[in-house]
Amino acid sequence: MAHILSVDQFVDFHLIQRLFNRSAELKAMQRWQYPKPLAGKVIATLFYEPSTRTRLSFESATALLGGQIVSTESAGEFSSAAKGETLEDTIRVVSGYADAIVLRHPEIGAARRAAEVSGVPIINAGDGAGQHPTQALLDLFTIYQLKGQIDGLTIGMVGDLKNGRTVHSLTQLLIPYDVDIVGIAPTALAMPTNQAGHKVKPVEHWDDVIGDLDVIYMTRIQKERFVSVKEYKALKDSFVLDPNVMKRAKTSAIVMHPLPRVGEIDPEVDVDPRAVYFEQARNGLFVRMALLEQLIGGQHA
Ligand code: NCD
């Protein structure tokens, strides 16, 4: 595996199982026990869109495995892109400095374009409203750790299913499993068919389905993808998860969110033991460590 561009590279159960076993091992280790397979390696994080979790967890993962980081967090503004350099040229140059490039970019397909010209692995850390494969892997890892298995689950994805790249990747990653996926969204924000929308049963209200869900996967309405502020405002509070709604959810359900949240989960839900979104965010570190070990650290799957 040379690049991580989309989740269809992870349809192999053995690959996933190995990745998750290793992620769990790393999660259970003390920091001093971490191996240093990235010693002498440099990872570039090239982010043209805002990020907290994805960039910092990749950078922490690199540091903990003994590697070094070079980073541009507002690449559109602070890299030569501001002078008019193309993404392709920037990638050609950075791939001469680093052993891998973690790329976030506002355009769908940017990571694939980068991979075509890069001499080193490209890791897609989000390409516009397209894909976010490493998020989907940490999401699936979280479900697997907390529910014990994937098959048989009913998974509700809530919010902006049209523009949310995390739900696009997660739905595609779930294709080989025996799961029911319910897409809870206003019609204007339903899951597009080209993003595995055919796997998703669309509903516009959650009253009838909330009690059936094993996983409640909340998402932010993706303000930056809207052309009209008015339309964003009309849709932004479509679904707010609060203690009242939680009363109708299964006692065994888990509530996930890729974060950041901006009002769609009431902070009062945080004390509910079913709220796992902060653990989910922490899992990102271990899954990204396991991926970096395999991709750059010479630990082959
Ligand atoms: C998500 C993203 O960037 O797509 N954040 C993340 O990586 N955890 C979700 C979002 O921004 O809403």
Side-chain angles (χ1 to χ4, degrees):
M1 189 200 309
H3 306 282
I4 299 177
L5 302 178
S6 118
V7 288
D8 16 302
Q9 296 167 252
F10 293 90
V11 287
D12 178 347
F13 287 114
H14 293 293
L15 195 66
I16 289 274
Q17 198 57 55
R18 207 189 123 100
L19 181 72
F20 287 180
N21 288 347
R22 185 58 183 155
S23 304
E25 261 172 36
L26 290 162
K27 189 174 178 179
M29 278 184 199
Q30 302 295 319
R31 288 201 162 201
W32 58 266
Q33 293 177 303
Y34 289 144
K36 303 290 178 218
L38 299 192
K41 310 260 172 155
V42 173
I43 308 295
T45 53
L46 199 56
F47 277 59
Y48 292 81
E49 276 194 340
S51 169
T52 300
R53 277 147 290 272
T54 307
R55 188 170 68 85
L56 295 185
S57 63
F58 262 116
E59 294 185 357
S60 300
T62 302
L64 291 168
L65 295 173
Q68 305 274 329
I69 300 128
V70 289
S71 181
T72 317
E73 64 170 315
S74 300
E77 215 182 319
F78 295 126
S79 76
S80 285
K83 301 179 189 168
E85 185 168 62
T86 62
L87 174 67
E88 281 80 356
D89 278 1
T90 303
I91 295 293
R92 282 186 186 102
V93 172
V94 178
S95 74
Y97 304 152
D99 296 280
I101 301 172
V102 182
L103 174 71
R104 172 169 287 187
H105 195 279
E107 285 164 28
I108 296 179
R112 215 166 272 287
R113 271 168 53 207
E116 272 164 28
V117 297
S118 178
V120 299
I122 296 288
I123 302 176
N124 183 3
D127 60 328
Q131 295 283 317
H132 193 349
T134 66
Q135 177 72 42
L137 290 167
L138 77 89
D139 291 343
L140 193 68
F141 174 69
T142 302
I143 299 172
Y144 181 67
Q145 272 221 316
L146 295 173
K147 304 296 296 178
Q149 60 169 48
I150 310 293
D151 284 336
L153 297 178
T154 301
I155 300 175
M157 300 188 183
V158 188
D160 192 346
L161 310 185
K162 176 182 174 207
N163 301 301
R165 54 195 171 201
T166 72
V167 281
H168 298 165
S169 287
L170 183 56
T171 306
Q172 290 184 32
L173 189 58
L174 285 167
I175 286 177
Y177 298 88
D178 178 19
V179 289
D180 287 323
I181 307 177
V182 186
I184 303 161
T187 316
L189 299 180
M191 184 89 73
T193 30
N194 68 351
Q195 296 287 4
H198 59 281
K199 275 286 285 185
V200 176
K201 180 185 158 213
V203 300
E204 274 184 78
H205 304 283
W206 60 8
D207 295 345
D208 294 341
V209 291
I210 194 91
D212 300 331
L213 306 179
D214 299 301
V215 176
I216 305 171
Y217 190 102
M218 298 294 295
T219 64
R220 175 178 69 88
I221 307 296
Q222 308 279 298
K223 185 179 182 186
E224 64 276 33
R225 314 275 178 235
F226 280 74
V227 215
S228 139
V229 179
K230 202 170 146 218
E231 199 201 350
Y232 165 71
K233 284 195 175 149
L235 295 169
K236 90 176 170 49
D237 296 320
S238 303
F239 295 95
V240 176
L241 192 68
D242 61 18
N244 258 332
V245 181
M246 286 306 291
K247 275 188 203 144
R248 285 180 281 137
K250 279 188 179 179
T251 48
S252 60
I254 55 171
V255 179
M256 299 176 67
H257 192 307
L259 302 177
R261 63 172 158 184
V262 287
E264 59 279 355
I265 301 181
D266 184 332
E268 282 187 40
V269 174
D270 297 359
V271 293
D272 190 312
R274 293 170 290 180
V276 304
Y277 27 89
F278 292 114
E279 180 175 354
Q280 177 189 356
R282 203 169 101 80
N283 283 340
L285 177 67
F286 309 113
V287 172
R288 289 176 174 129
M289 285 174 81
L291 282 169
L292 287 173
E293 263 188 351
Q294 288 184 15
L295 198 67
I296 337 269
Q299 320 278 308
H300 295 296

